[in-house]
Amino acid sequence: IWGYTAIIDQEQSNQKQFMMLIKRTKKPIDKKNMDKIDSIQLEDIALPIEVIIESSFYTHGNYDWIILFTARDINQVKIFCNVLYQGFPGIIEKIDIQQILYTVRKHYIFNPDRKKLRDLME
């Protein structure tokens, strides 16, 4: 067990949830940038612009890095994207953003507000 967490209702906290899909370039990542990715330094990049990182994953597939985070709006997300491009020069090839409209299940817990999903899908 790594730890425990509460599942926060983003709507109640006036935040929206996003998924950032990052494709890296073929340029090798040096130790300095690896340390930024694999430490609290990523939080140091996000917190000043009021982005809260929930999860960060290094993956195999079309994208190399996935970050789940919350932000107030898409403008704040765009600022976060620009900060990452500047913070990792030459390493990020492309960033795609997905806004999460409804969470079906999180940390093994099903969302109790099932009506919202039905409303979104109609």
Side-chain angles (χ1 to χ4, degrees):
I1 297 173
W2 289 0
Y4 297 92
T5 186
I7 300 172
I8 299 168
D9 184 346
Q10 261 58 39
E11 284 186 26
Q12 296 296 322
S13 63
N14 202 26
Q15 295 286 304
K16 294 175 178 52
Q17 192 168 25
F18 297 90
M19 181 183 310
M20 179 180 285
L21 306 160
I22 301 171
K23 178 75 177 163
R24 60 175 275 203
T25 62
K26 296 195 185 321
K27 176 181 176 183
I29 299 178
D30 60 15
K31 182 179 178 348
K32 178 184 165 194
N33 283 308
M34 185 58 71
D35 289 345
K36 272 197 259 184
I37 293 169
D38 191 29
S39 72
I40 196 69
Q41 291 181 48
L42 190 56
E43 301 291 324
D44 294 340
I45 293 169
L47 285 176
I49 53 176
E50 300 177 32
V51 165
I52 299 168
I53 296 173
E54 181 180 295
S55 300
S56 179
F57 310 93
Y58 189 71
T59 62
H60 173 76
N62 292 330
Y63 294 91
D64 301 293
W65 188 12
I66 298 173
I67 301 173
L68 299 177
F69 64 97
T70 60
R72 276 188 319 273
D73 55 36
I74 194 66
N75 291 327
Q76 194 176 24
V77 173
K78 289 179 181 181
I79 292 168
F80 185 39
C81 286
N82 289 334
V83 167
L84 286 179
Y85 276 121
Q86 292 168 5
F88 297 95
I91 294 173
I92 297 174
E93 178 181 315
K94 171 180 154 182
I95 296 177
D96 285 335
I97 299 296
Q98 300 288 313
Q99 182 176 349
I100 298 170
L101 300 177
Y102 177 85
T103 299
V104 174
R105 184 175 174 163
K106 189 175 206 177
H107 302 287
Y108 307 103
I109 307 293
F110 281 99
N111 189 333
D113 188 5
R114 303 265 167 99
K115 182 182 181 317
K116 182 174 180 189
L117 178 60
R118 288 186 181 97
D119 292 343
L120 285 169
M121 295 181 78
E122 290 180 344

